[in-house]
Amino acid sequence: GDVYKRQEWDKNGEVLGCIAEGSSIVFLWDVNSQRLQEIESNNKELTWLGWSRGPGNSMLAAANVKGNLLLYNHHSSKKVPIMGKHSKAIGCGAWSEDGKLALGGKDKQITVSDVDGAGLAQSSLKAEPSQIRYVVRKDKGQLEPTVSAILGNKTVYMYCLNKPHAPVELAFQAHYGDLITHQWFGDNNLMAGFSNGFLVVMATSSEEIGEELYCCQLFESLVDFNIQPGDLKVAAVGADGAVVVVDMSTWKQACTHKLELANTDRPKSVGWAGGGEILSVATEQGALVCLLAQGGAVLSACHGNSVAFMSSLKEVTVMQHGQQDKQQCKITVAIEPSFISLGPAHVVVGMNNYAWFYSLNTAALVCEKEYLATVQQLRLNGSTAAALGNGLLYVHPIDQSTGGRSARFPLSSQDQGDSDPKVSCVSLTPEFAVWGDSSGSVTHLLLEDWTPVNEFRHTCAVSQVWPSPSGMRLVLLDQARDAWLYNPLNDQMLPISSWPGTVSTVMWDSQDSHVFAAMSSAGFAVYTYAACTASGPTVRLVGVSALPATGTPMLLQGGVVLSQTGTGAMERAPLSTHTHLKPGASGLDMLDAALALLAFEAAAALCSSLDSEPAWTKFSAACLHHLEIELAIRGYRQLGNAAMVLSLQQLGELEDKNLLAGTVAMISGEFQAAEKLFWSSSQPIRALEMRQDLLQWEEALRLASLLDESQVARISCAYAQQLEHQGDHHKAQQLYDRCLSYQGVSAEQAQVCHKGRVRTTLLAGDSARGVSLAVQMVEQGLADKGLLRECAVLLQSMRQLNDAASLYEKAECYEKAVSIYIQVKNFSSAGRLMEFVSTPKLQLGYAKAKESEGKLADAVVAYRKGKDMDSVVRLLLHEQLDRATEAFQVVRDTQTVSGAKMAAEYCERRSNFTGAIEFLLFAKEADKAFALASTHDAMEVFTKQLGDKGSSEQWLAIANYYEAKAQHGTAGGFFAKCGMHQRAVELYLKSGADAHIQAAIEVVGAARDEQLTGELIDYLVGEKDGIPKEPSHIFKLYMALGSYSQAATTALIIAQQEQGRGNYKLAHKVLFETQQALQQHSIRTPQDLSKALQILHSYILVRVLVRQGDHLSGARMLIRVSKFISKFPAHIVPILTSTVIECQRAGLKRSAYEFASMLMRPEYRAQIAENYKRKIEAIVRKRASVEEAEEPLTPCPHCSAPVAETELDCSSCRQIIPLCIATGRHMVLEEWTCCMHCQFPALYSPFKKLLTAEPNCPMCGNHVDPSTLQFTKDPKEALNALLAGASEDCLLYTSPSPRDRTRSRMPSSA
């Protein structure tokens, strides 16, 4: 009797909790048990209650006016009282999914607690909160748990638990009225309801917060609203004395969902339960109304264009759908049914085994029917009902008062036995009852006289049948899940390909009788049935269209699916396969869709709009295939294909439809159907012609034996070749033999057949006979060796390798023969043919075979021929051969990495570290080689093998090694290689060896560094250690720095020093090399240097001339030297003595007397050798005649004036005459030649004579072949060139200190 205060369903929609005004009792009503339970809270005047929403618990919270809280566990019936949660009355609250409870009270506080009541958060407000909601929003990918509440009926307060110090308050426009309630949906959308009937949707994300997404005024006033859970997007709104359901996608009322309350009552709150299936409404007068929501599939049925559905629990509404939808009738039924069926004049509802039939015209109950089994299917036509249950079919009139016949199928088990087949499906058409049973039978019962007019036995049990509206075609689904299109007129069964896995129903298009759609979870599989085509009747899948987003599909009208939605409305959705039906449709895709659906008139219209060749081509081909000859002619005429138009016009005049269809089938590529049609026509020979054109020889042979035997031989030969290629060798051989047996076989055909016999004999497995036949044919000249090769290939593919190799050998294909011999390990035969083989691959195969036999020497030879040098090295290093020296040479010659590795490993095993280092470098393992050289003190070997190919890092490592070993000179060389010139020079100088000083000079010359040059000069002049070094180093430094003039001066000083010490050859070498260097750099040679070189060379020539017995020339050279005897201080007496002796021998007595007198001077006399002293004294004492023959004269090469042959200056022209390096005489133009190495001139005849005896140039010491000696073509030009290279300037032989002299001569670049 108390006034209702608040109600709420639990999370499962099974228990409704309520509290009454001023009461302390919580009322719980269980839907399942229909029991009302009272819970005493011990809290007076309860003001709020709410169920938890999280999984795994069922907590009920109840609060009162004192701010106290009761937590009640419905599963365990445990009560937990919490006192003083708020200081004043708690008026609102909300649970979260994870068990948190938010409460709001009149104390202007919001608290958040856990499931046990412990406080988690608290926020003070400026006004009393109401309508608390707990939501987890998504903002920028982050989850934001938020408590929202209405403050003062004007604003929405948002309290984010992650941001407790930054609450947000949303305000709305004043003309909306008071804020009644709000609710969250989506990720972060807020819907608010206002007293003036406005519904407002607002965004609350951080980027759009406060932005109104939608606003509308649906009513004059609004009390409450609640959004239905799930994806239906509807909301229940209490307003204006009624509760209506609003579609949130259109924001309009759903006409079938409206609850009108009494005039004196108004809704107070609305809510959803059971996941949105139950709508509960609480009124101001304390009434509670629960409604079953139509959120999912509605119980419905259809027939023709009419649909019947349950508009309420006990009300059936029938709608007729055509151009305009209209309501046919509403019928109140006796029960809440579990099934419904619709006929043209009746609707039936039922439950279990009971059914109620109602008239559509009067809405009155026609009859009630109780069946013997639970009804599984119930079908109606105008006057008859067919009910299927428990494998039995009951057929009876709907109106029992008419007295019509009734029957049960199959017949009674008492008459037929317990093994009767069970009916599995049934359907009714206006004239027939059609059913299928477990035995595979499909029965058509004519209802007019209750006679079975057709019974077809299928191969397996029938699961379902869906007849067309006329009943003349039906889709049959058998127990094997195969689908068929059945024609009861001729019992023709057409398989339906690509049938979906699980089909719930098949809908025939009510406006297009040859289109039907199979509905499954994957969508609609749309098919077309063509009764007459070039290939006969066909069923083809057009495509798959998606199911409607909402609603239950009921009808298919002209490619449009009518679906009943949860609100009872009917939605239309065109199938995606019917794109040509769209207004203004065009394009090739639309044309393809129209042709696939056999809508040829629509396709013609599309082609006219497209007016393109591809479009008309597709249209014409499709019409031709479906024997629409007139439309095909229209298409080909548009294409301008006159030949096709004329041909089709001729076909159109044919009365023989089989011939017409056969021709069209052949054009379309349906040859099997074409042959059948040709056979059935008046011109069966067309079938033979077609098969020959298609190279289908088996069919052609079969047809030729029936139609034209004269073509059998030719067809047999062609067919035999085809069978041979296909692998049917036995049959091909028979056909070859048969072809040879025919009379009149041409020679060409006979040769083809003979070769075919050989091949097929081999391929049939009789290789011995096949080989014999092949060899016999070649020997008889019936075939060339190509047949042997061909047979060998066949035998090889058949793995008859020995025979194949023998034929290859006979065909002179030696490499193929060797390859097979190696494969079968017939190495003796392979070895016999190896001389004809040049392919490395075969050589390698033979080598591997020999290696496997252990014949390593033979394998090495084969590996060499096969260019596999790694294997050669491997076998040579094998302990069986142990030919390491040969292996090493192979590695050096080929420098293969893998071979070098093997050689290095071999050397390491035998402690041959020198070889190991060498081969590791070949193997590109320099680091390992360096480590080995360091460990075994073999760095010299490492550096020698490395040569100039090392890297800077390697040179540095080697330099550090040698430096650590105190081998400073060697270390300096490697520092120089890695570009560390300063360090290199330091170590070179630290070593102090002449060779290392020379190396330091080369480094400084290359570096051209002024500081480095100064340090080296300081070292050479002795400023660092007080020991001046040899002047030759200064000379070499000048040469390295490119200061050739200073180098010439230094060279002359060095030569004088060496000449003073008696080192005449060394002095000669210094002067010669200096002269060569100057000449190479186009610098004129100073005259003093040339003179000094001439004197030294004259002295060196003496011994050469004396050895040849030319004492006169030797004496002349000694006379020249003696004139400059002061330049030979170390050997004055010996030289003068030799001069006296040689002059005496040559008959130059005056010269002998002069030089003998010189020796008698006191300073020389004591130094004369005892064995010559008496003789020399006798020459002076006797002083006989001092006359001597005059020296022969030869022409001066400059002016041709006569000049003594040993004179090098012309008194006439005052020119210097070049010296002959072979005789010491001056040059003459007629005998001019030169050394090919040093380019110094010589007289041709004496020089050639000298080289014949001693084949080395007396000036440079290089070998010269006398046969290569030639006269100079232009001796005058050669003379001028020598004069251009000689300078008349003389060098001053001053002797400053070495340091001053060096620095004064330093080039500016240094």
Side-chain angles (χ1 to χ4, degrees):
D2 294 333
V3 178
Y4 162 77
K5 178 76 173 178
R6 180 175 172 80
Q7 55 85 22
E8 185 173 321
W9 288 96
D10 70 347
K11 66 178 186 298
N12 298 322
E14 297 177 350
V15 180
L16 179 66
C18 303
I19 57 176
E21 191 76 38
S23 174
S24 63
I25 297 176
V26 178
F27 299 94
L28 301 180
W29 180 67
D30 194 309
V31 173
N32 298 323
S33 64
Q34 301 290 310
R35 184 172 66 89
L36 182 65
Q37 180 181 1
E38 298 182 2
I39 306 299
E40 178 59 53
S41 66
N42 295 322
N43 290 326
K44 295 182 179 180
E45 297 186 36
L46 294 176
T47 56
W48 176 86
L49 89 164
W51 288 98
S52 64
R53 299 298 174 187
N57 62 72
S58 182
M59 296 292 293
L60 176 67
N64 73 341
V65 296
K66 298 292 186 179
N68 298 329
L69 179 66
L70 173 69
L71 296 177
Y72 174 72
N73 191 321
H74 184 62
H75 288 166
S76 63
S77 301
K78 178 181 178 182
K79 294 188 292 184
V80 178
I82 300 174
M83 309 302 291
K85 173 58 72 174
H86 283 254
S87 60
K88 294 184 179 181
I90 299 174
C92 56
W95 286 91
S96 70
E97 293 292 335
D98 57 352
K100 295 183 178 62
L101 175 63
L103 298 172
K106 291 186 177 181
D107 55 358
K108 301 180 181 179
Q109 297 282 335
I110 288 180
T111 60
V112 180
S113 308
D114 61 13
V115 71
D116 297 323
L120 299 177
Q122 184 172 351
S123 177
S124 298
L125 310 174
K126 65 181 182 180
E128 178 183 347
S130 63
Q131 293 284 336
I132 283 186
R133 303 282 187 261
Y134 198 115
V135 64
V136 179
R137 299 183 300 119
K138 288 184 179 179
D139 191 7
K140 295 182 179 180
Q142 302 294 325
L143 298 180
E144 301 284 353
T146 304
V147 176
S148 62
I150 297 175
L151 299 184
N153 294 333
K154 298 297 181 184
T155 62
V156 174
Y157 178 82
M158 293 171 52
Y159 177 68
C160 181
L161 299 185
N162 294 340
K163 304 173 182 177
H165 302 296
V168 177
E169 191 170 354
L170 301 177
F172 301 88
Q173 299 183 37
H175 70 274
Y176 292 165
D178 290 340
L179 182 58
I180 303 300
T181 183
H182 73 292
Q183 193 168 353
W184 295 90
F185 69 97
D187 288 339
N188 49 27
N189 293 330
L190 174 70
M191 180 185 289
F194 296 86
S195 59
N196 291 343
F198 284 90
L199 282 178
V200 177
V201 177
M202 182 173 286
T204 63
S205 65
S206 59
E207 297 177 351
E208 302 175 323
I209 190 165
E211 180 180 349
E212 291 186 2
L213 302 179
Y214 187 81
C215 175
C216 67
Q217 186 178 14
L218 299 176
F219 314 102
E220 293 182 0
S221 65
L222 186 145
V223 176
D224 191 15
F225 75 83
N226 203 305
I227 300 175
Q228 185 180 20
D231 299 328
L232 296 180
K233 295 184 179 180
V234 296
V237 182
D240 298 335
V243 177
V244 296
V245 177
V246 177
D247 188 345
M248 293 171 61
S249 62
T250 61
W251 300 102
K252 293 182 180 179
Q253 301 180 30
C255 61
T256 58
H257 288 69
K258 185 173 183 180
L259 173 64
E260 300 283 353
L261 300 180
N263 294 334
T264 58
D265 203 357
R266 291 173 57 83
K268 187 173 183 180
S269 65
V270 295
W272 297 95
E277 296 179 358
I278 299 176
L279 173 64
S280 59
V281 182
T283 69
E284 292 181 349
Q285 296 182 1
L288 180 64
V289 180
C290 295
L291 300 176
L292 179 64
Q294 295 178 352
V298 179
L299 192 62
S300 57
C302 65
H303 181 274
N305 292 331
S306 299
V307 176
F309 63 93
M310 299 300 300
S311 55
S312 68
L313 296 179
K314 293 184 179 182
E315 183 184 69
V316 177
T317 299
V318 180
M319 299 289 295
Q320 188 172 8
H321 301 279
Q323 296 294 333
Q324 294 182 350
D325 297 347
K326 64 179 182 179
Q327 180 174 310
Q328 189 172 351
C329 63
K330 279 192 176 183
I331 301 174
T332 301
V333 297
I335 61 165
E336 181 180 346
S338 61
F339 64 86
I340 184 173
S341 185
L342 180 64
H346 302 85
V347 64
V348 59
V349 298
M351 179 183 294
N352 297 330
N353 64 333
Y354 212 87
W356 288 263
F357 295 84
Y358 295 89
S359 172
L360 296 181
N361 295 327
T362 62
L365 179 66
V366 176
C367 74
E368 299 181 14
K369 180 70 176 179
E370 182 178 7
Y371 300 99
L372 298 179
T374 299
V375 176
Q376 297 170 332
Q377 296 180 17
L378 199 153
R379 303 287 183 263
L380 304 178
N381 64 10
S383 60
T384 307
L388 174 62
N390 197 25
L392 298 175
L393 176 64
Y394 303 92
V395 182
H396 62 86
I398 296 176
D399 190 352
Q400 300 289 340
S401 62
T402 60
R405 294 177 59 182
S406 300
R408 186 183 71 179
F409 300 94
L411 299 177
S412 172
S413 60
Q414 295 178 357
D415 300 332
Q416 299 295 328
D418 294 334
S419 61
D420 287 348
K422 296 184 179 296
V423 178
S424 56
C425 53
V426 65
S427 185
L428 285 181
T429 69
E431 292 84 14
F432 299 100
V434 184
W435 69 85
D437 59 30
S438 58
S439 67
S441 294
V442 178
T443 303
H444 279 69
L445 177 71
L446 182 62
L447 296 176
E448 184 178 355
D449 55 5
W450 291 81
T451 303
V453 294
N454 186 67
E455 185 172 352
F456 172 75
R457 180 61 61 91
H458 188 45
T459 56
C460 62
V462 178
S463 298
Q464 190 59 273
V465 292
W466 294 280
S468 64
S470 65
M472 291 298 99
R473 303 288 186 275
L474 61 87
V475 176
L476 181 149
L477 182 66
D478 60 24
Q479 196 174 33
R481 311 306 298 169
D482 293 327
W484 308 82
L485 186 73
Y486 173 58
N487 184 352
L489 299 178
N490 56 11
D491 286 342
Q492 184 183 53
M493 292 281 284
L494 298 177
I496 303 177
S497 60
S498 304
W499 187 255
T502 303
V503 174
S504 57
T505 187
V506 172
M507 293 189 290
W508 288 84
D509 196 316
S510 61
Q511 298 179 7
D512 198 346
S513 60
H514 58 265
V515 176
F516 63 91
M519 187 177 74
S520 66
S521 58
F524 289 102
V526 182
Y527 297 87
T528 57
Y529 165 67
C532 185
T533 70
S535 56
T538 60
V539 178
R540 192 172 71 88
L541 174 66
V542 178
V544 178
S545 181
L547 293 174
T550 58
T552 303
M554 302 297 296
L555 300 173
L556 179 60
Q557 295 179 344
V560 178
V561 176
L562 280 70
S563 302
Q564 187 176 33
T565 65
T567 61
M570 192 68 69
E571 291 186 351
R572 287 173 167 80
L575 295 172
S576 61
T577 54
H578 288 62
T579 54
H580 66 286
L581 298 177
K582 294 182 180 179
S586 63
L588 290 177
D589 293 339
M590 306 290 186
L591 177 62
D592 291 338
L595 293 176
L597 292 166
L598 310 183
F600 296 113
E601 293 296 338
L606 282 170
C607 287
S608 298
S609 63
L610 290 172
D611 195 20
S612 66
E613 182 177 348
W616 284 112
T617 301
K618 287 185 178 182
F619 173 78
S620 304
C623 292
L624 182 62
H625 177 72
H626 289 85
L627 302 183
E628 298 286 346
I629 303 299
E630 293 300 325
L631 289 175
I633 291 174
R634 177 182 172 186
Y636 285 116
R637 184 176 287 118
Q638 290 290 336
L639 291 171
N641 192 340
M644 197 67 176
V645 171
L646 292 175
S647 299
L648 291 180
Q649 287 176 344
Q650 294 176 0
L651 292 179
E653 296 174 357
L654 290 177
E655 296 182 359
D656 191 339
K657 294 297 183 182
N658 289 327
L659 185 59
L660 170 64
T663 305
V664 172
M666 182 177 65
I667 295 173
S668 303
E670 299 174 4
F671 306 114
Q672 195 66 30
E675 181 184 333
K676 292 180 180 179
L677 293 168
F678 282 140
W679 265 107
S680 303
S681 71
S682 58
Q683 300 180 25
I685 195 66
R686 294 282 297 277
L688 174 60
E689 295 172 356
M690 179 188 71
R691 293 301 183 184
Q692 291 185 78
D693 293 339
L694 295 173
L695 303 181
Q696 296 176 351
W697 301 112
E698 183 176 10
E699 291 81 359
L701 185 61
R702 174 177 55 82
L703 293 173
S705 62
L706 298 173
L707 298 173
D708 187 1
E709 292 187 357
S710 63
Q711 300 188 45
V712 171
R714 179 178 59 82
I715 295 175
S716 297
C717 183
Y719 184 29
Q721 289 177 298
Q722 186 183 65
L723 288 174
E724 181 182 351
H725 289 301
Q726 292 175 351
D728 193 349
H729 310 300
H730 182 70
K731 191 172 181 180
Q733 186 178 6
Q734 292 178 348
L735 282 172
Y736 281 130
D737 292 338
R738 188 189 305 173
C739 183
L740 290 171
S741 65
Y742 289 133
Q743 297 293 331
V745 178
S746 66
E748 182 180 358
Q749 290 179 352
Q751 186 177 10
V752 171
C753 292
H754 282 303
K755 289 185 177 181
R757 286 181 61 205
V758 173
R759 291 193 301 270
T760 52
T761 301
L762 293 174
L763 292 170
D766 193 354
S767 58
R769 181 169 174 267
V771 170
S772 176
L773 285 174
V775 173
Q776 183 179 356
M777 288 186 65
V778 172
E779 291 176 350
Q780 294 176 358
L782 299 177
D784 56 12
K785 292 184 179 180
L787 177 62
L788 297 178
R789 289 193 295 271
E790 187 177 352
C791 294
V793 172
L794 291 176
L795 289 169
Q796 186 176 3
S797 64
M798 296 165 58
R799 307 304 296 170
Q800 301 290 332
L801 299 181
N802 287 316
D803 291 335
S806 176
L807 287 182
Y808 275 132
E809 186 175 354
K810 287 182 172 61
E812 298 181 359
C813 297
Y814 298 119
E815 293 192 349
K816 291 183 178 294
V818 167
S819 176
I820 297 176
Y821 281 139
I822 292 174
Q823 188 176 351
V824 299
K825 302 186 184 308
N826 188 351
F827 302 126
S828 59
S829 298
R832 187 180 69 250
L833 301 177
M834 289 306 294
E835 60 179 315
F836 304 107
V837 174
S838 59
T839 304
K841 183 177 180 182
L842 294 179
Q843 293 286 358
L844 294 178
Y846 181 70
K848 291 177 182 177
K850 284 298 182 181
E851 183 179 354
S852 64
E853 288 184 335
K855 298 179 180 179
L856 302 188
D858 294 340
V860 167
V861 174
Y863 276 129
R864 283 185 186 274
K865 292 182 179 180
K867 310 293 186 192
D868 187 358
M869 305 313 293
D870 290 339
S871 297
V872 172
V873 173
R874 175 173 53 82
L875 295 184
L876 289 175
L877 295 176
H878 193 277
E879 60 183 5
Q880 180 178 337
L881 296 180
D882 199 17
R883 290 152 58 180
T885 303
E886 187 177 349
F888 295 163
Q889 189 58 45
V890 170
V891 174
R892 293 187 184 101
D893 293 339
T894 61
Q895 297 189 2
T896 60
V897 174
S898 56
K901 288 182 179 179
M902 290 185 285
E905 292 173 358
Y906 178 88
C907 291
E908 280 192 77
R909 289 196 302 268
R910 286 160 175 75
S911 300
N912 181 4
F913 301 113
T914 299
I917 292 170
E918 175 187 359
F919 296 119
L920 284 173
L921 288 175
F922 280 141
K924 312 298 183 184
E925 296 186 4
D927 293 341
K928 187 175 180 181
F930 179 80
L932 195 64
S934 301
T935 304
H936 299 284
D937 198 17
M939 191 59 66
E940 183 178 355
V941 177
F942 177 78
T943 56
K944 179 180 178 182
Q945 296 300 328
L946 189 61
D948 294 329
K949 299 179 182 179
S951 63
S952 298
E953 292 78 7
Q954 291 172 334
W955 300 135
L956 182 58
I958 296 170
N960 290 329
Y961 169 84
Y962 278 117
E963 185 178 7
K965 294 286 187 178
Q967 298 182 25
H968 303 114
T970 308
F974 290 103
F975 276 120
K977 283 189 175 184
C978 60
M980 300 176 66
H981 301 129
Q982 181 72 33
R983 187 62 179 153
V985 171
E986 290 176 1
L987 291 175
Y988 278 139
L989 299 182
K990 190 173 182 180
S991 171
D994 288 344
H996 296 152
I997 294 175
Q998 176 60 33
I1001 291 172
E1002 293 174 358
V1003 171
V1004 171
R1008 297 300 176 95
D1009 182 270
E1010 185 174 352
Q1011 180 182 354
L1012 200 59
T1013 304
E1015 291 179 3
L1016 179 58
I1017 292 173
D1018 290 342
Y1019 175 80
L1020 293 177
V1021 300
E1023 287 194 0
K1024 288 190 175 182
D1025 54 4
I1027 304 174
K1029 305 305 182 290
E1030 289 290 334
S1032 60
H1033 297 311
I1034 299 294
F1035 161 72
K1036 293 176 181 178
L1037 176 60
Y1038 279 128
M1039 293 294 290
L1041 293 174
S1043 301
Y1044 300 107
S1045 298
Q1046 291 86 341
T1049 303
T1050 307
L1052 193 54
I1053 295 171
I1054 295 171
Q1056 289 174 352
Q1057 291 177 350
E1058 295 299 332
Q1059 193 171 343
R1061 297 189 186 103
N1063 299 325
Y1064 307 121
K1065 286 188 177 182
L1066 180 57
H1068 179 275
K1069 180 181 179 183
V1070 170
L1071 295 175
F1072 169 74
E1073 291 178 352
T1074 304
Q1075 190 274 345
Q1076 291 290 99
L1078 294 175
Q1079 185 176 353
Q1080 290 175 3
H1081 293 83
S1082 301
I1083 298 174
R1084 294 170 65 88
T1085 305
Q1087 186 177 357
D1088 288 351
L1089 190 146
S1090 297
K1091 286 288 185 180
L1093 180 59
Q1094 288 175 357
I1095 294 170
L1096 284 172
H1097 189 68
S1098 298
Y1099 177 77
I1100 292 173
L1101 274 178
V1102 172
R1103 185 171 295 179
V1104 177
L1105 295 171
V1106 171
R1107 280 201 303 266
Q1108 293 183 350
D1110 189 358
H1111 295 282
L1112 178 60
S1113 296
R1116 297 286 186 193
M1117 293 301 103
L1118 284 172
I1119 292 172
R1120 180 185 294 166
V1121 171
S1122 297
K1123 292 179 180 180
F1124 298 93
I1125 196 62
S1126 61
K1127 297 186 181 296
F1128 299 88
H1131 298 90
I1132 293 176
V1133 173
I1135 291 174
L1136 291 175
T1137 302
S1138 298
T1139 304
V1140 172
I1141 299 301
E1142 287 301 318
C1143 287
Q1144 190 70 21
R1145 285 181 182 177
L1148 302 178
K1149 297 186 181 295
R1150 186 179 60 192
S1151 297
Y1153 173 77
E1154 290 177 0
F1155 291 109
S1157 299
M1158 188 181 296
L1159 280 173
M1160 290 297 102
R1161 293 177 184 176
E1163 61 268 25
Y1164 302 139
R1165 186 170 185 175
Q1167 300 177 30
I1168 301 173
E1170 291 295 332
N1171 53 340
Y1172 294 113
K1173 192 172 185 179
R1174 291 179 180 273
K1175 188 175 182 179
I1176 293 173
E1177 289 175 349
I1179 292 172
V1180 175
R1181 189 180 303 114
K1182 292 179 180 179
R1183 195 180 179 192
S1185 175
V1186 292
E1187 296 296 328
E1188 63 183 16
E1190 292 295 330
E1191 185 176 356
L1193 301 177
T1194 54
C1196 170
H1198 299 288
C1199 62
S1200 299
V1203 180
E1205 61 182 3
T1206 58
E1207 283 294 329
L1208 300 180
D1209 296 304
C1210 178
S1211 58
S1212 299
C1213 61
R1214 302 292 184 180
Q1215 292 284 353
I1216 299 174
I1217 305 176
L1219 172 77
C1220 171
I1221 61 174
T1223 62
R1225 300 194 293 266
H1226 69 74
M1227 291 295 298
V1228 294
L1229 297 178
E1230 293 76 10
E1231 287 280 315
W1232 199 292
T1233 188
C1234 64
C1235 173
M1236 60 185 299
H1237 299 290
C1238 62
Q1239 301 300 318
F1240 270 85
L1243 297 173
Y1244 179 84
S1245 298
F1247 192 28
K1248 188 170 186 179
K1249 180 180 178 182
L1250 173 64
L1251 292 176
T1252 304
E1254 299 179 12
N1256 289 325
C1257 174
M1259 178 62 76
C1260 63
N1262 291 316
H1263 177 80
V1264 179
D1265 188 353
S1267 62
T1268 61
L1269 204 61
Q1270 294 179 353
F1271 287 101
T1272 301
K1273 292 182 179 180
D1274 191 351
K1276 198 71 174 177
E1277 183 180 351
L1279 175 64
N1280 294 332
L1282 287 175
L1283 292 176
S1287 173
E1288 296 181 358
D1289 299 333
C1290 295
L1291 300 177
L1292 300 177
Y1293 293 181
T1294 58
S1295 299
S1297 66
R1299 179 174 180 83
D1300 293 339
R1301 182 174 68 246
T1302 301
R1303 292 191 173 175
S1304 66
R1305 300 296 185 180
M1306 287 292 292
S1308 59
S1309 61

